[in-house]
Amino acid sequence: MPCTAQEMADRGWDRCDFILVSGDAYVDHPSFGTAIIGRVLEAEGFRVGIIPQPDWRSPESLTLFGRPRLGFLVSAGNLDSMVANYTAARKPRRDDSYSPGGEGGRRPDRASIVYANLVRRAYKRMPLIIGGIEASLRRLAHYDYWSDSLRRSLLLDSKADLLVYGMAERSIVEIARRMDAGEHIREIRNIPGTVVLADEDSLPEETIVLPSHDRLKKERRAYAESFRVQMRNTDPVSAKPLYEAYGSNGVLQLPPQRPLEREEFDRIYSLPFAREPHPMYTRGVPAIEEVRFSLVSNRGCFGSCSFCALTFHQGRIIQSRSHESLIREAEELTRHAGFKGYIHDVGGPTANFRHPSCKKQLESGTCADRMCLYPEPCPALDADHSDYVQLLGRLRRVPGVKKVFIRSGIRFDYLLAEGNDRFLRELCEHHVSGQLKVAPEHVSSRVLAAMGKPEHRVYLDFKKRFDRINSELGKKQYIVPYFISSHPGSTLDDAVELALFFKEQRFIPQQVQDYYPTPGTVSTCMYYTGIDPRTMKKIYVPSDPDEKQMQRALLQFNRRENAELVRRALIKAGRKDLIGYSGKCLVAPAGKSRGKNRGKHPA
């Protein structure tokens, strides 16, 4: 799609119907939201121009195509701009994999607001729609970690006409058709998956009125109550409209869009993506490297991890592509000049979810008051990998394909719930490239409960089976587990418990993810309010920077630079018995050393 006036002229256009502004570099690949929305509109006959990473200091950067016929579409990109720009410690990132050459600093903070304001300065009264992950997860009042404040709906702060949330292909096509037919953007007020400006006198029937923004700012418990209601209204079948007041007016969230039918899903991925960054990027765009030769098999996730925003963005109902669609895409990959025979991934948010978790969901929706896998797999859970196994087998047999790997997450408790080792054996024999990434996240029952993750014994059972099957196959393959420090619910005692597990396993993670409160998650609600919105009970939150540093250091207790923090943590936790030289100890006393190599554990 065109990114310059010359490229537009080369197509014989005098102007665009829509101009899509993005915080990412333009990569024409279906793993990038800008490319998908642009291609979907193009397939409907609309002329779409792309302005990637405009100069946010100059409204003129948005005028290169002239005034569009229908409107501007604004997205911060594939990541929330604050997550893209800052670490969990609120330090600026030096790089950005979604920018040319991986260079940081090419997108502004709060990009949706900044770009929307640029549109308003460049073109008065131009229809303006915001979407993407940043808008989706900030669609109602939300805790903002970077300013440590409760911010308003992004629809208000951006001064946009309409906010589209979730995976917006169906919504944006309906909006475009109605605008093309002459309907004013402010009159489009009934499309699922959108948030619109409203007042309390014009609400649809069954609308749930949430606590007002003024009340939310005063009462953190009210925010937990509001978030609990939002959690229970993320399903497209059962959700009700939600209204949030800001003075005399407010915003109305319509229920989510229904999941795409398989034919719709297939059609989107058959669009003519170039699968490459725009040619203007001479230094490349690093984010393409992991996904260039990967296949998106599904959307949605019924795992419902507390720290994940997928429930609020893609929903819990699984959508999957047909075998035929994926095989056609694999065949296209084999004709790509850079393809060497290796498909890097066949998955999605959770690779081994290929169908809804139970048979009732497409008619009745997901359960509002229970989760599919936590605290135990639901008795109605349809744990069956046979379709995925068949798909992977067919992909392996595509001429020109040497290996098919799985790199997106495997939900190991769902795998075990099937009750046999068929998929695990298939996985180990054909689809692991030496290391399998899984996410047990912690070992403490208290922390795992806060995370919505299974008990630690489930991970140990999975690891035991994984090791046994690899031994039977004569393969040396390893699990690479991910863990999070300082998650709500985690005390120093819990961090010590995790460190002792690492010592017992002779494993120290190369990297540790300190918990990062991002919009749209249960965990962020816990972090801000000190309340678990699932139970409305108080929960411990390790928000003190010093304690967070200690918890993180415990997870890499063998590093020399962490020694003083580990000693302080153990003393504060009342575990001086773990300071010393015996086999059970985590760190030597102050001023002492274990020696050059003693106490080191392989990652």
Side-chain angles (χ1 to χ4, degrees):
M1 291 173 283
C3 287
T4 67
Q6 184 60 54
E7 289 176 345
M8 181 178 73
D10 290 345
R11 292 189 173 209
W13 302 353
D14 58 346
R15 60 175 173 170
C16 296
D17 295 321
F18 289 101
I19 295 174
L20 212 165
V21 181
S22 173
D24 293 339
Y26 173 35
V27 181
D28 195 46
H29 186 283
S31 291
F32 294 76
T34 298
I36 284 188
I37 295 301
R39 288 294 187 187
V40 165
L41 286 170
E42 181 185 60
E44 294 291 321
F46 294 101
R47 298 174 175 183
V48 181
I50 310 289
I51 303 181
Q53 298 185 323
D55 179 357
W56 69 84
R57 303 167 191 87
S58 169
E60 286 69 34
S61 63
L62 298 188
T63 64
L64 62 93
F65 292 118
R67 187 181 186 93
R69 182 172 69 91
L70 294 175
F72 273 86
L73 312 177
V74 166
S75 166
N78 269 21
L79 296 178
D80 185 285
S81 58
M82 301 304 287
V83 175
N85 289 350
Y86 296 94
T87 69
R90 297 190 179 98
K91 295 180 179 178
R93 297 189 193 273
R94 288 177 291 182
D95 52 15
D96 182 345
S97 64
Y98 290 92
S99 291
E103 179 186 350
R106 293 179 64 95
R107 81 180 78 220
D109 292 353
R110 313 192 190 286
S112 299
I113 297 173
V114 173
Y115 294 152
N117 287 339
L118 278 182
V119 172
R120 290 293 185 227
R121 290 168 62 190
Y123 297 101
K124 304 294 184 185
R125 295 180 294 279
M126 171 58 62
L128 171 60
I129 301 166
I130 58 172
I133 192 77
E134 182 166 279
S136 186
L137 300 181
R138 296 174 180 265
R139 58 189 185 258
L140 296 174
H142 55 279
Y143 172 67
D144 183 79
Y145 171 67
W146 303 272
S147 62
D148 191 25
S149 65
L150 193 73
R151 292 183 66 94
R152 305 192 304 170
S153 164
L154 196 63
L155 179 63
L156 298 176
D157 283 345
S158 67
K159 300 180 174 62
D161 297 298
L162 195 63
L163 183 153
V164 180
Y165 70 90
M167 306 298 283
E169 297 99 339
R170 189 183 285 158
S171 302
I172 202 67
V173 166
E174 185 175 351
I175 292 167
R177 287 173 177 169
R178 289 170 63 171
M179 291 179 69
D180 190 42
E183 194 167 352
H184 192 278
I185 185 70
R186 288 291 178 98
E187 296 172 352
I188 301 174
R189 304 177 51 80
N190 59 350
I191 296 179
T194 63
V195 179
V196 299
L197 300 170
D199 60 71
E200 203 160 346
D201 295 331
S202 61
L203 301 179
E205 291 185 13
E206 298 189 307
T207 297
I208 298 173
V209 178
L210 300 172
S212 70
H213 186 247
D214 285 342
R215 184 182 167 203
L216 295 177
K217 288 192 295 183
K218 297 173 184 175
E219 304 173 31
R220 296 200 178 193
R221 185 174 183 85
Y223 182 77
E225 291 169 350
S226 178
F227 197 88
R228 178 179 172 85
V229 174
Q230 294 172 47
M231 287 168 54
R232 296 172 65 88
N233 286 274
T234 56
D235 182 83
V237 180
S238 61
K240 303 292 191 294
L242 303 178
Y243 176 75
E244 188 173 72
Y246 293 82
S248 59
N249 295 306
V251 296
L252 175 68
Q253 174 186 300
L254 281 303
Q257 278 282 0
R258 289 185 68 90
L260 295 175
E261 299 293 338
R262 176 165 283 183
E263 293 76 14
E264 293 177 283
F265 203 0
D266 287 353
R267 192 179 310 120
I268 289 168
Y269 281 80
S270 70
L271 296 174
F273 296 97
R275 305 187 73 88
E276 291 291 339
H278 190 280
M280 66 182 170
Y281 301 123
T282 57
R283 295 183 294 163
V285 179
I288 186 63
E289 299 307 324
E290 185 66 23
V291 299
R292 179 184 275 120
F293 301 121
S294 296
L295 303 177
V296 174
S297 166
N298 60 61
R299 280 184 186 172
C301 183
F302 52 79
S304 301
C305 299
S306 300
F307 47 80
C308 179
L310 276 165
T311 295
F312 277 76
H313 186 58
Q314 291 191 0
R316 291 169 58 191
I317 296 177
I318 302 299
Q319 305 146 70
S320 61
R321 292 169 60 192
S322 69
H323 289 200
E324 290 68 29
S325 172
L326 287 157
I327 289 167
R328 280 195 299 271
E329 188 175 358
E331 290 170 344
E332 290 177 14
L333 291 183
T334 66
R335 295 189 286 271
H336 191 286
F339 186 68
K340 293 180 170 54
Y342 302 98
I343 293 176
H344 295 161
D345 191 23
V346 183
T350 301
N352 56 327
F353 290 174
R354 277 279 300 170
H355 56 264
S357 60
C358 69
K359 292 181 169 52
K360 77 174 186 68
Q361 285 185 4
L362 293 179
E363 294 181 4
S364 306
T366 54
C367 298
D369 57 352
R370 67 184 304 172
M371 292 185 278
C372 303
L373 287 168
Y374 174 82
E376 299 285 345
C378 175
L381 182 71
D382 181 17
D384 182 359
H385 291 80
S386 56
D387 175 73
Y388 195 33
V389 169
Q390 183 185 9
L391 169 64
L392 293 170
R394 293 184 67 182
L395 289 169
R396 292 199 305 268
R397 294 190 291 273
V398 170
V401 172
K402 298 175 182 177
K403 293 283 288 185
V404 178
F405 296 118
I406 298 174
R407 291 185 179 175
S408 50
I410 292 287
R411 188 75 189 224
F412 56 81
D413 49 347
Y414 178 73
L415 185 153
L416 295 179
E418 188 171 15
N420 62 63
D421 290 335
R422 182 187 174 194
F423 172 63
L424 184 54
R425 183 171 293 276
E426 188 89 353
L427 179 71
C428 295
E429 186 169 4
H430 298 291
H431 304 292
V432 177
S433 58
Q435 297 180 335
L436 178 68
K437 298 175 183 178
V438 296
E441 309 294 6
H442 217 282
V443 300
S444 162
S445 295
R446 173 168 46 201
V447 182
L448 290 169
M451 292 176 166
K453 299 287 284 187
E455 285 281 350
H456 181 48
R457 59 178 170 76
V458 180
Y459 168 68
L460 294 178
D461 184 15
F462 170 74
K463 185 177 185 303
K464 182 178 178 181
R465 294 192 193 193
F466 179 85
D467 292 342
R468 172 179 56 79
I469 289 173
N470 277 292
S471 177
E472 291 169 359
L473 294 171
K475 290 177 173 285
K476 290 186 177 181
Q477 300 187 136
Y478 306 94
I479 286 176
V480 178
Y482 284 89
F483 296 91
I484 296 177
S485 65
S486 305
H487 187 275
S490 177
T491 65
L492 276 177
D493 289 341
D494 298 309
V496 170
E497 183 181 350
L498 183 52
L500 290 172
F501 170 72
F502 289 164
K503 184 175 180 66
E504 175 190 333
Q505 296 289 312
R506 297 190 59 79
F507 167 83
I508 298 293
Q510 293 275 7
Q511 295 179 318
V512 172
Q513 175 61 59
D514 195 31
Y515 169 65
Y516 199 169
T518 57
T521 74
V522 174
S523 300
T524 299
C525 180
M526 294 178 187
Y527 180 89
Y528 175 58
T529 65
I531 296 170
D532 185 338
R534 300 168 302 177
T535 63
M536 294 306 295
K537 294 180 179 178
K538 290 185 178 180
I539 188 168
Y540 176 75
V541 177
S543 56
D544 176 71
D546 191 48
E547 181 183 350
K548 287 169 69 71
Q549 280 191 318
M550 288 191 284
Q551 289 207 27
R552 181 171 182 147
L554 280 165
L555 272 58
Q556 294 174 316
F557 61 85
N558 69 326
R559 293 193 174 183
R560 190 182 302 273
E561 64 270 24
N562 287 343
E564 180 56 31
L565 278 169
V566 171
R567 281 190 285 268
R568 284 172 49 203
L570 293 173
I571 291 169
K572 188 172 181 178
R575 296 303 305 270
K576 291 183 181 179
D577 59 305
L578 298 178
I579 303 173
Y581 300 103
S582 71
K584 71 173 185 176
C585 291
L586 297 179
V587 67
K592 306 294 183 180
S593 171
R594 286 178 176 269
K596 186 174 181 181
N597 294 313
R598 287 184 63 191
K600 292 191 176 181
H601 299 262

